[in-house]
Amino acid sequence: MPSNIAPILIALALPLGLVLSAFFTWIVWRRMVAMQIGQTVRSDGPESHLKKMGTPTLGGAGILAALVVLCGLVVAALSAKGEALPVRMLAVLGLALAYGALGFADDWPKVRYKRPLGLKARVRLPIEFALAAAFAYVMVRTGTMTTTPSPLQIIPFQPDLIWGAFVLFVIVGGANAVNLTDGLDGLAAGVSAIVAVGLAVICTALGYADLAVMSLAVAGVSAGFLWLNAAPAQIFMGDVGSLGLGAALAGIAVAARAELVFGFFGIVFVVEAVSVILQVLYFKASKGKRLFRMAPFHHHLELGGLPETKITARLWLVTAMAVSIGLAAIWIIVSK
């Protein structure tokens, strides 16, 4: 795998991603305003969110556009030196774009026909699993998955049904967890940026320069989106952004064999997803009662009286703490 990526590309991935994402998001925002396309808010959500009705959405298209440009620069730099293409990085990019396209298909009926709900789960989930399976196939077929045992992985690499099912779980679960987290201004983008920085440290330590660049690029484009998405948000990322970012993070974790680390770094994502699952199960088991005031968990906190901005800031801090503790624990384990 390309390990001789120019240090300048690694160093510039995050700040360049930030600038490009802010710029492309601004372009999308201007276009959405001109077309008078805005978010449709669900009537069963928090009442305070009704004021967000009509806020431009599909900002995730700007995030993914910035990611494409950054990866293109890396490919161009490697090609100019006659180096091999970064297959893992391109596979992660392809996964992110595919999930982003699915997210767009989910978003468009909402904004075009003013419906709060898009694709049904029975339509979307099979496609998500198929895309995850295609990613796993590319990893195995191209020989880009390392077979070296690592304390960061959960299931040792064996191209069998158990490993395949696990990869599907990580990618589909990770993408949808980020999607569920995208419910407050700046929340999903900020948490994604912090998690991506943590993954960049891991990838760098493992010598995966291509995945380190990809992680920093994801961190940069996530942070850049906050330029217009920080409270009060001027634009939302939509499913095109949340599914795309979630797939990118999960893809990096799988490619780097750091699924365990991803789960720990992304504890906020995990809690958000689990809260929805528990809410549904409890609702059915109790015949109509609720375990949380509302799911995902950030809405539970919101209905408990915490301001939206404070919830977002605290969950950013929780994520930063998880990444710090995770990196410290890994350093201790590896140094023994």
Side-chain angles (χ1 to χ4, degrees), residues 222-243:
S222 299
F225 184 68
L226 291 172
W227 191 266
L228 291 177
N229 182 243
Q234 294 173 258
I235 191 170
F236 299 138
M237 67 172 66
D239 287 0
V240 60
S242 58
L243 284 178

Side-chain angles (χ1 to χ4, degrees), residues 15 17 31 47 51 54 59 120 126 140-141 179 184 187 210 217 224 235 283-284 310:
R31 183 60 178 167
E47 187 176 342
K51 63 185 179 183
K120 294 186 180 298
V140 175
R141 187 69 176 177
N179 179 249
L184 301 180
L187 180 57
D210 53 338
I235 191 170
F283 185 84
K284 291 182 177 180
K310 183 165 289 188

